Amino acid sequence: MNINDNFSKLQESYLFASIAKKVKEHSQTHPDKNIIRLGIGDVTLPLAPAVVNAMQNAVLEMGDMATFRGYGEEQGHSFLRDAVCGYYAKKSVAIESGEVFISDGAKSDIGNILDIFSTDNVVLIPDPVYPVYMDTNTMAGREILFMHGNEGNGFLPLPDKNTKADIIYLCSPNNPTGAVYDKEKLKLWVDYARESDAIILFDSAYEAFVRDESLPTSIYQIEGAKECTIEFCSLSKTAGFTGTRCGYTVVPHGLLRGGASLNELWLRRQTTKFNGVPYIVQRGAEAVFSDEGLAQARAGIDYYMENARIIADALTGLGIWFAGGENSPYIWLKCPDGMSSWGFFDYLLERAGVVGTPGAGFGAGGEGFFRLTAFGSRENVIAATQRMKEL
Ligand SMILES: *Cc1c(COP(=O)(O)O)cnc(C)c1O
């Protein structure tokens, strides 16, 4: 018996454990200091009433012989897939129900999709970015290339003709940088992928945070994207589903490689290894896409975006460079006075009692940067920015 040796190549993820340890030590030595956390990557507002209502009704249905449901449709219930198609239609994107796959979240699908690709493929991953792309490919033993985000390119790396990759990850709005690709820049990626027969894996978990109407909220708003892209989306950040679990992945019928339909491969993979999301959760997810649900979800996002604006205004006033905040819940700032990511973490914790996330935890390219999130309460955001100004 041999274990998968690739696991030994994974970098230990010390990020959140190290943060927790430092915060705990600080609280022990300063028991009366109130610490404000602007580092969390999780939502804090509760589920919307429309969602709760729909799930309560679904629970009652499951307890009644006449309306009970067992195994559901394999790609997800059609009522939910149709609701997802309706949501795309509002973005002027035509998606068919058979192209939508309902899952328990974007993270699972982003990891699992790799089953349908050869381990010989070379992957191209932005740096800094959500660590899941790198770790899932490391586990599978794929060769990984990085493309670097920096102040110069606004943390939006563009295709390089000299780089040959088969699978390209894009995350827009980006976690952790908050940077969003515009249509022209995304078109460069779509053209590059089509020319080189590569596949783009597009993570749009934060699409609902985009406020600037000229920016794309789906890569399918770019001509030709359906021939080269799989898009992953989630209700986690959009509608507070991080604990409820529901996402959706679009695999267009037109996506063909090596004589095979990727949609058919993914269907085969999912029907073999996955038995779907609970009916009750799918009814809650359907309610997110109703007029009432969308308005309620929007109100929650507006609340977070006002937090982001307050943080951004404070940083502008302090003359600190940052990206994000306008179209994403993340603010990515440059540590002042040339401090390192962890140096600034310690400084902010010790001197202001404010906790953020060191950028170095999202890849080498994140060194010297720092992530603040808008997912806290208004009261805490105001207090934290006040403390930063005083400091
Ligand atoms: C939170 C997040 C997701 C969503 O993950 P779920 O499994 O749906 O909760 C996906 N991608 C990024 C970049 C995220 O930050």
Side-chain angles (χ1 to χ4, degrees):
M1 201 296 290
N2 295 316
I3 58 158
N4 178 352
D5 249 352
N6 294 318
F7 277 72
S8 66
K9 296 178 201 150
L10 290 168
Q11 285 173 10
E12 261 333 304
S13 174
Y14 293 119
L15 182 65
F16 290 98
S18 308
I19 292 173
K21 185 163 169 271
K22 279 176 182 271
V23 172
K24 193 174 165 204
E25 282 166 6
H26 185 81
S27 321
Q28 278 162 353
T29 47
H30 304 80
D32 37 63
K33 203 153 120 195
N34 153 37
I35 290 172
I36 303 178
R37 288 164 208 270
L38 292 188
I40 49 167
D42 196 355
V43 295
T44 53
L45 294 175
L47 294 174
V51 171
V52 173
N53 239 324
M55 290 204 290
Q56 282 175 327
N57 290 337
V59 168
L60 295 177
E61 280 180 59
M62 293 297 271
D64 183 338
M65 175 86 91
T67 49
F68 169 78
R69 306 218 188 189
Y71 288 123
E73 287 167 79
E74 288 165 328
Q75 279 181 244
H77 283 288
S78 49
F79 61 76
L80 178 53
R81 285 186 286 128
D82 290 345
V84 170
C85 294
Y87 185 61
Y88 271 105
K90 289 185 185 155
K91 302 176 182 229
S92 307
V93 172
I95 297 289
E96 289 168 29
S97 181
E99 297 176 315
V100 179
F101 295 78
I102 304 302
S103 74
D104 64 345
K107 192 192 214 175
S108 323
D109 279 3
I110 288 167
N112 294 335
I113 197 81
L114 294 174
D115 272 9
I116 70 169
F117 299 115
S118 162
T119 48
D120 295 338
N121 288 318
V122 175
V123 304
L124 181 59
I125 298 179
D127 173 17
V129 87
Y130 187 54
V132 173
Y133 314 147
M134 176 170 153
D135 287 352
T136 50
N137 279 290
T138 302
M139 286 177 188
R142 276 189 199 82
E143 183 188 342
I144 300 172
L145 305 175
F146 292 98
M147 45 174 163
H148 298 282
N150 50 48
E151 263 180 277
N153 60 21
F155 289 92
L156 295 168
L158 293 176
D160 172 355
K161 293 256 182 294
N162 300 316
T163 304
K164 174 77 191 91
D166 305 299
I167 299 172
I168 301 159
Y169 287 83
L170 296 177
C171 180
S172 178
N174 181 289
N175 176 13
T177 71
V180 188
Y181 280 104
D182 64 22
K183 287 185 177 155
E184 292 69 36
K185 291 194 177 87
L186 267 194
K187 180 84 170 76
L188 296 175
W189 276 114
V190 168
D191 291 346
Y192 170 84
R194 289 175 71 193
E195 275 160 31
S196 56
D197 255 353
I199 291 286
I200 295 173
L201 301 182
F202 191 79
D203 185 345
S204 66
Y206 297 95
E207 54 85 24
F209 291 81
V210 173
R211 285 288 173 270
D212 178 342
E213 286 178 5
S214 72
L215 293 172
T217 54
S218 162
I219 194 166
Y220 301 125
Q221 290 167 331
I222 310 302
E223 196 200 323
K226 278 193 170 177
E227 286 141 52
C228 63
T229 312
I230 295 175
E231 180 161 287
F232 301 88
C233 206
S234 167
L235 298 181
S236 281
K237 315 300 165 27
T238 308
F241 269 56
T242 52
T244 305
R245 311 303 307 144
C246 196
Y248 49 96
T249 292
V250 177
V251 189
H253 287 309
L255 208 45
L256 310 170
R257 288 294 186 277
S261 150
L262 297 195
N263 180 291
E264 281 171 23
L265 294 183
W266 181 236
L267 181 64
R268 188 72 173 87
R269 190 273 171 209
Q270 288 297 77
T271 52
T272 302
K273 295 197 190 179
F274 184 60
N275 254 342
V277 178
Y279 171 71
I280 297 159
V281 171
Q282 293 195 52
R283 280 294 184 198
E286 179 192 24
V288 171
F289 297 108
S290 67
D291 289 342
E292 197 192 0
L294 285 173
Q296 290 169 354
R298 168 89 188 194
I301 293 169
D302 284 348
Y303 178 87
Y304 295 136
M305 294 310 284
E306 175 64 10
N307 285 348
R309 192 195 59 78
I310 292 167
I311 299 169
D313 280 356
L315 295 176
T316 304
L318 290 166
I320 293 173
W321 186 95
F322 66 94
E326 283 185 338
N327 296 290
S328 95
Y330 295 123
I331 288 176
W332 181 248
L333 64 93
K334 188 176 181 183
C335 302
D337 302 331
M339 272 188 254
S340 69
S341 291
W342 280 107
F344 186 63
F345 175 91
D346 291 336
Y347 175 77
L348 205 58
L349 173 62
E350 280 156 26
R351 303 280 292 273
V354 173
V355 179
T357 315
F362 300 96
E367 181 54 274
F369 290 85
F370 199 75
R371 189 188 77 173
L372 294 175
T373 79
F375 290 126
S377 70
R378 180 66 40 79
E379 191 190 354
N380 277 348
V381 165
I382 291 172
T385 50
Q386 195 53 43
R387 289 185 193 180
M388 285 193 270
K389 285 179 197 163
E390 282 159 17
L391 180 61

